[in-house]
Amino acid sequence: MSKRLYAVIGLGRFGSAVASTLVSLGQDVIGLDDNEDRVREIGELTTHALQIDATDIRALRQAGVNAADVAVISIGENIEASLLVVMQVKDLGVPHIIAKAVTPLHGRILEKLGVTRVIFPEREMAERTARSLVIPNALDYITLSSDFSIVEVTVPTKFVGQTLRSIELRARYGLTLVAIKRQVAGKEETLVSPPADQVLLEGDIVALLGKNEMLARIETIR
């Protein structure tokens, strides 16, 4: 994983979680907020934590935001400030901008401003919660579109000891196996696009691609 510099602007619950996770992944992080307490709380975790007015482009430049590879703007509650900060960060030439939105209109405006990605934390958490109710054994879930997703589940007992060819996932279940994760000598290995003669083992974690309605039926496979 290559190391990059991230500027996280807005250190509420979402921003702080993003900043601390990035640091745990070995990335350099500048944490910025106008609230002194938030800056103090995150200060020990980030590379730099500063109390600034992020709507001031001079303050952003002095904080080093212009050198960032990615800016994460987590000022969802104050929409006016969120939009202004996005414009300032764009003017500083940051190549990738991720912005938190709190309403669909807010999100559409952010998109028109040219941000790389708009995030709706509450909506995405609600969607993940709903999916976990439909597929309780799902270990992870990636949405590709409104119709298709990738879900990670522990291999169903019915498939253990069988080859991918004999299971006929696509023909019988409308699913495509993208990868297999398994423990080998105490280490996790990932087999991407495994061959048809690959045998599934007990404890394997399989990543399955398919329509959401087909993925929801995984629980019925025993």
Side-chain angles (χ1 to χ4, degrees):
M1 181 186 298
S2 59
K3 196 169 189 177
R4 297 198 287 181
L5 176 62
Y6 293 79
V8 179
I9 304 172
L11 299 174
R13 285 179 295 179
F14 177 75
S16 295
V18 170
S20 59
T21 301
L22 286 170
V23 171
S24 71
L25 293 172
Q27 304 300 305
D28 289 329
V29 177
I30 301 172
L32 305 173
D33 200 289
D34 62 0
N35 185 294
E36 183 180 356
D37 292 334
R38 291 178 178 176
V39 171
R40 187 185 305 113
E41 289 173 4
I42 201 70
E44 296 180 359
L45 299 176
T46 59
T47 309
H48 301 289
L50 301 171
Q51 179 185 4
I52 70 167
D53 175 6
T55 63
D56 184 343
I57 193 169
R58 291 172 299 179
L60 290 173
R61 185 180 288 109
Q62 290 173 358
V65 173
N66 54 300
D69 300 295
V70 182
V72 180
I73 299 171
S74 176
I75 313 177
E77 295 75 14
N78 187 334
I79 295 178
E80 182 180 355
S82 167
L83 301 178
L84 181 55
V85 172
V86 166
M87 291 188 288
Q88 305 288 42
V89 170
K90 283 184 67 66
D91 285 345
L92 288 175
V94 178
H96 301 287
I97 302 174
I98 315 299
K100 170 185 171 183
V102 292
T103 68
L105 177 58
H106 184 194
R108 288 196 296 272
I109 296 174
L110 288 170
E111 289 174 350
K112 289 184 180 298
L113 288 176
V115 304
T116 309
R117 180 182 172 191
V118 177
I119 296 176
F120 294 87
E122 291 188 0
R123 179 200 295 177
E124 293 178 12
M125 179 56 69
E127 290 175 353
R128 292 180 69 87
T129 300
R131 293 188 185 107
S132 71
L133 296 175
V134 175
I135 311 176
N137 293 330
L139 303 175
D140 201 359
Y141 207 114
I142 302 172
T143 300
L144 300 179
S145 70
S146 59
D147 297 319
F148 288 87
S149 301
I150 296 176
V151 64
E152 283 190 353
V153 295
T154 302
V155 62
T157 303
K158 180 179 180 179
F159 295 161
V160 173
Q162 295 192 55
T163 65
L164 298 180
R165 180 182 291 108
S166 64
I167 293 172
E168 297 182 312
L169 270 173
R170 189 173 299 176
R172 295 182 181 179
Y173 306 99
L175 302 174
T176 299
L177 191 144
V178 179
I180 301 171
K181 292 181 182 178
R182 64 172 47 149
Q183 293 292 323
V184 178
K187 295 183 179 180
E188 183 178 89
E189 290 190 357
T190 301
L191 308 174
V192 180
S193 297
D197 60 358
Q198 177 67 56
V199 176
L200 292 174
L201 307 178
E202 185 175 359
D204 280 351
I205 295 173
V206 292
L208 303 173
L209 164 66
K211 285 189 174 183
N212 295 329
E213 60 192 68
M214 304 306 290
L215 290 169
R217 298 177 187 175
I218 294 173
E219 291 298 307
T220 65
I221 301 174
R222 296 289 184 267

